[in-house]
Amino acid sequence: MGNIRSPFQGIITDIKGRSACYKQDWVNGLCSGFRIFAPTFYIFFASALPVIAFGEQLSRDTDGALSTVETLASTAICGIIHSIFGGQPLLIVGVAEPTVIMYTYLYSFSKGRPELGQKLFLAWTAWVCVWTALLLILLAIFNACTIITRFTRIAGELFGMLITVLFLQEAIKGVISEFIIPKGEDPKLEIYQFPWLYTNGLLAVIFSFGVLFTALKTRKARSWHYGTGWLRGFLADYGVPLMVLCWTALSYTIPGKVVSGVPRRLFCPLLWEPESLYHWTVIKDMGKVPIVYIFAAFIPAVMIAGLYFFDHSVASQMAQQKEFNLKNPSAYHYDILLLGVMTLICGLLGIPPSNGVLPQSPMHTKSLAVLRRQLIRKKMVKSAKEGLLQQASNSEIYGRMQAVFIEMDASPPTSVDKELKNLKEAVMKGDGGEDAKENFDPDKHIDAYLPVRVNEQRISNLLQSFLVGLSMCVLPIVKKIPTSVLWGYFAYMAIDSLPGNQFWERILLLFITPSRRYKVLEGVHASFVESVPFKSILMFTLFQFVYFLVCFGVTWIPIAGILFPLPFFLLISIRQHILPKLFHPDHLRELDAAEYEEIVGTPRRNLSLSLKEREPPDARSDGTEDDFYDAEILDEMTTNRGELRLRTVSFKEERLYQVHPEEKA
């Protein structure tokens, strides 16, 4: 209640905090030099491909009223605005699946109303965006971001699972549609005769499964046994867009006797065509919308505002997890205010709004952590080796490294002492308690104890947004992508989002027979497997699964499907008032933990990814291996959702062959 009585307090605090480091945000980016292009291109491909896929989905669901042009334009415009004026520049914004779903419902409603129809669809959605913007601005003014902590893991994972299933549903519907004559086309055309229609469908199956399989394989390239570190790192970062390119090229190798139009390719108007130019002047049609529908637009606006508030805040949280050790303050209230302004701009331009997206936002932070870590590590290693060559004392070696860290990191001395405490112990004591100069290895120990550091700046976000905007100029090339390749990409996004989702991991656990559950404990596993009775895990998972079915069922209701965010808002009260009565507080805390905590497997060999037990291969050879190893470390420490793993040793070693004390295998 106190937050409501202090309007603008959160926004003012955010502006004061971020204005103090605004200049440094630009300086840090410019000082990175050409190295800033690596995270820029990495996040550009991670942003552009989904936006192109969502554009094709929107085009199909809105009969061409919206297309890839509009999704690219929205992502570029909002990205540029946010990178310059946003509070948290590490946050990546773009058109996301929830926006596509909402716009599909809005189109179905508008199309079924003679007073609106397809002609006034964009004008009416502009009014929806006006109301949405107003609600978001009010949420920011009255400090609503303070309640974001009530959206716990259960809500985030249910929402993530819903998006996963919707991705998979879209992929399946897309592949099936390749066997069917498109709506509004002449069935007498040669291309729509059975032999060619069937050929198109079979090619779609091949291309979609080909993209899915190869994208999933290259995603894990850093763990391959073959190839150099540079090659594996390149394939892991850019393998997915590369596979889209490869399968698009393969689609042009089909025999020349195949009729033109097989396989089907992406369709969207070019930037300079009348269909695209109309959107920029949609504001002139807003006055033609009947007054009753202007006020009716408030209902979907409430849903969209709540959805954006939740999605944007969670994406921002993931981009600035405490394990990233960010130095600059957050700006949740101010960013929601700016989101309201961007939503208003997009609505008046007739394009779908953009908001914070996952997993691109934490992916952006992770890529910048690799960049910053490389720079600090190399200077600290060099300084330590110089000290060893000069036979400096233990304290002198540590003092040199500490000075380098303070110089490059600009941290206060008290903070540095705390963060480098373990490194200091390694230098002063050595591994075996003997002279540290004989046991201390700069390459090994600095990697083990160097805290994660992120290059907090605005340049990479700004550049990737410009690149997304430039993509609109190469739409003639984008249109060469087969639609079946996009269906494979939708399936890839669905399957790739499952690892790291504890809801999914608990579902899989239910299918493991009691006699084989000890196998789970042999590998790295979630902490709740050891600390929560299996019965509680079962009940919690069944509750989550039933609730998920309710959420998914709402999306199938023709017009009322627009209310699909409502169950997620209700979940706040259920989590706060009902679940504590059904589950033990300690068990509920473990199952709905704020952090992703894992335990290292007990038997045979230690699968710990702890940096203290890892030595980079060929760490002394050259810088390229350092670059790869840094990225590999952060890949292993991060879930596919972008969440940092907290890994500890097993609670009880005697539990090697049992899942819980009271249960017999």
Side-chain angles (χ1 to χ4, degrees), residues 619-644:
R620 302 167 185 79
S621 56
D622 56 56
T624 57
E625 287 298 328
D626 291 342
D627 296 353
F628 161 72
Y629 182 65
D630 255 359
E632 185 181 33
I633 290 171
L634 286 169
D635 257 11
E636 293 175 332
M637 289 169 60
T638 315
T639 68
N640 290 20
R641 186 169 172 250
E643 195 172 10
L644 284 174

Side-chain angles (χ1 to χ4, degrees), residues 172-188:
I172 294 170
K173 285 167 60 179
V175 172
I176 292 174
S177 71
E178 300 286 343
F179 290 90
I180 302 171
I181 300 172
K183 190 165 45 176
E185 296 291 340
D186 184 2
K188 295 181 181 179

Side-chain angles (χ1 to χ4, degrees), residues 197-440:
L197 201 61
Y198 194 66
T199 301
N200 181 77
L202 290 179
L203 286 173
V205 172
I206 294 170
F207 290 148
S208 57
F209 275 94
V211 170
L212 172 62
F213 179 77
T214 53
L216 288 172
K217 285 294 183 183
T218 54
R219 177 77 166 78
K220 302 296 182 184
R222 283 197 179 91
S223 61
W224 291 358
H225 298 299
Y226 310 104
T228 63
W230 178 87
L231 177 62
R232 298 199 301 273
F234 177 80
L235 288 175
D237 290 340
Y238 303 104
V240 177
L242 194 61
M243 290 305 103
V244 170
L245 182 64
C246 287
W247 285 97
T248 299
L250 279 173
S251 71
Y252 282 94
T253 63
I254 58 177
K257 292 183 180 180
V258 175
V259 67
S260 176
V262 175
R264 295 176 194 167
R265 301 188 185 276
L266 186 67
F267 174 79
C268 66
L270 300 176
L271 184 62
W272 48 86
E273 291 181 346
E275 293 90 334
S276 298
L277 294 176
Y278 163 72
H279 295 83
W280 308 107
T281 59
V282 74
I283 190 171
K284 63 183 175 59
D285 289 334
M286 290 178 66
K288 299 178 182 178
V289 178
I291 190 71
V292 64
Y293 288 104
I294 292 176
F295 286 102
F298 182 78
I299 298 173
V302 171
M303 295 295 109
I304 296 175
L307 187 64
Y308 280 7
F309 174 75
F310 169 72
D311 214 13
H312 197 76
S313 299
V314 170
S316 186
Q317 271 186 329
M318 295 290 285
Q320 47 193 329
Q321 299 169 63
K322 67 177 182 180
E323 289 80 12
F324 282 129
N325 296 316
L326 299 186
K327 306 175 76 61
N328 297 335
S330 60
Y332 291 108
H333 306 279
Y334 172 73
D335 279 344
I336 291 296
L337 174 70
L338 186 64
L339 177 62
V341 174
M342 293 191 299
T343 301
L344 179 63
I345 292 171
C346 289
L348 298 180
L349 292 177
I351 56 180
S354 293
N355 65 284
V357 288
L358 289 172
Q360 291 91 328
S361 295
M363 283 169 63
H364 182 218
T365 308
K366 187 178 77 169
S367 67
L368 293 169
V370 172
L371 173 64
R372 187 65 174 171
R373 185 186 172 93
Q374 291 165 5
L375 298 173
I376 297 176
R377 178 190 180 278
K378 286 182 179 179
K379 286 204 173 186
M380 288 183 70
V381 169
K382 182 181 177 183
S383 173
K385 286 183 176 179
E386 287 175 355
L388 289 170
L389 287 173
Q390 296 170 9
Q391 302 207 351
S393 66
N394 302 346
S395 57
E396 287 175 343
I397 293 173
Y398 173 73
R400 290 185 179 200
M401 291 190 295
Q402 185 188 46
V404 169
F405 187 83
I406 292 174
E407 178 189 354
M408 296 195 66
D409 197 54
S411 298
T414 53
S415 169
V416 171
D417 288 339
K418 183 178 179 181
E419 292 184 302
L420 297 183
K421 179 183 177 183
N422 292 331
L423 177 61
K424 183 177 181 180
E425 290 176 358
V427 176
M428 302 303 288
K429 296 180 182 178
D431 283 338
E434 300 174 7
D435 187 13
K437 285 178 285 186
E438 295 179 9
N439 292 286
F440 175 66

Side-chain angles (χ1 to χ4, degrees), residues 369-652:
V370 172
L371 173 64
R372 187 65 174 171
R373 185 186 172 93
Q374 291 165 5
L375 298 173
I376 297 176
R377 178 190 180 278
K378 286 182 179 179
K379 286 204 173 186
M380 288 183 70
V381 169
K382 182 181 177 183
S383 173
K385 286 183 176 179
E386 287 175 355
L388 289 170
L389 287 173
Q390 296 170 9
Q391 302 207 351
S393 66
N394 302 346
S395 57
E396 287 175 343
I397 293 173
Y398 173 73
R400 290 185 179 200
M401 291 190 295
Q402 185 188 46
V404 169
F405 187 83
I406 292 174
E407 178 189 354
M408 296 195 66
D409 197 54
S411 298
T414 53
S415 169
V416 171
D417 288 339
K418 183 178 179 181
E419 292 184 302
L420 297 183
K421 179 183 177 183
N422 292 331
L423 177 61
K424 183 177 181 180
E425 290 176 358
V427 176
M428 302 303 288
K429 296 180 182 178
D431 283 338
E434 300 174 7
D435 187 13
K437 285 178 285 186
E438 295 179 9
N439 292 286
F440 175 66
D441 184 340
D443 292 295
K444 177 181 177 181
H445 288 92
I446 289 176
D447 264 327
Y449 300 110
L450 184 63
V452 174
R453 278 293 180 267
V454 176
N455 187 19
E456 299 181 60
Q457 44 72 48
R458 296 176 181 269
I459 299 293
S460 58
N461 200 345
L462 179 63
L463 290 178
Q464 74 89 20
S465 299
F466 272 122
L467 289 174
V468 171
L470 289 175
S471 301
M472 292 188 290
C473 300
V474 294
L475 279 176
I477 298 174
V478 173
K479 290 173 70 172
K480 295 183 181 296
I481 301 174
T483 52
S484 51
V485 167
L486 292 184
W487 309 142
Y489 182 70
F490 270 113
Y492 160 75
M493 287 194 291
I495 294 174
D496 189 59
S497 66
L498 290 175
N501 187 319
Q502 289 190 357
F503 176 32
W504 171 250
E505 291 171 357
R506 279 186 274 105
I507 290 175
L508 295 180
L509 183 64
L510 300 186
F511 289 94
I512 300 176
T513 59
S515 61
R516 301 289 289 175
R517 285 185 200 139
Y518 73 91
K519 286 286 186 182
V520 176
L521 299 178
E522 288 187 352
V524 178
H525 52 277
S527 60
F528 64 78
V529 175
E530 291 195 10
S531 58
V532 181
F534 183 75
K535 183 179 179 182
S536 296
I537 295 175
L538 172 64
M539 296 304 295
F540 189 82
T541 306
L542 288 177
F543 163 77
Q544 209 169 355
F545 182 72
V546 171
Y547 204 87
F548 163 75
L549 292 179
V550 172
C551 297
F552 181 64
V554 172
T555 65
W556 280 80
I557 305 173
I559 299 299
I562 202 168
L563 301 175
F564 85 92
L566 193 59
F568 295 99
F569 305 146
L570 294 175
L571 194 57
I572 296 177
S573 295
I574 295 173
R575 170 62 179 87
Q576 209 166 8
H577 302 294
I578 298 177
L579 291 185
K581 297 178 181 178
L582 301 177
F583 297 93
H584 190 281
D586 292 338
H587 299 162
L588 188 58
R589 194 179 305 113
E590 281 287 332
L591 293 168
D592 197 26
E595 296 164 332
Y596 190 97
E597 187 173 350
E598 290 184 328
I599 297 176
V600 176
T602 309
R604 294 174 193 150
R605 67 186 185 92
N606 195 343
L607 298 179
S608 174
L609 301 179
S610 171
L611 303 187
K612 300 179 184 180
E613 300 175 11
R614 296 290 298 272
E615 181 172 2
D618 303 326
R620 302 167 185 79
S621 56
D622 56 56
T624 57
E625 287 298 328
D626 291 342
D627 296 353
F628 161 72
Y629 182 65
D630 255 359
E632 185 181 33
I633 290 171
L634 286 169
D635 257 11
E636 293 175 332
M637 289 169 60
T638 315
T639 68
N640 290 20
R641 186 169 172 250
E643 195 172 10
L644 284 174
R645 306 174 189 266
L646 300 180
R647 193 157 290 178
T648 59
V649 296
S650 181
F651 295 147
K652 298 180 181 179

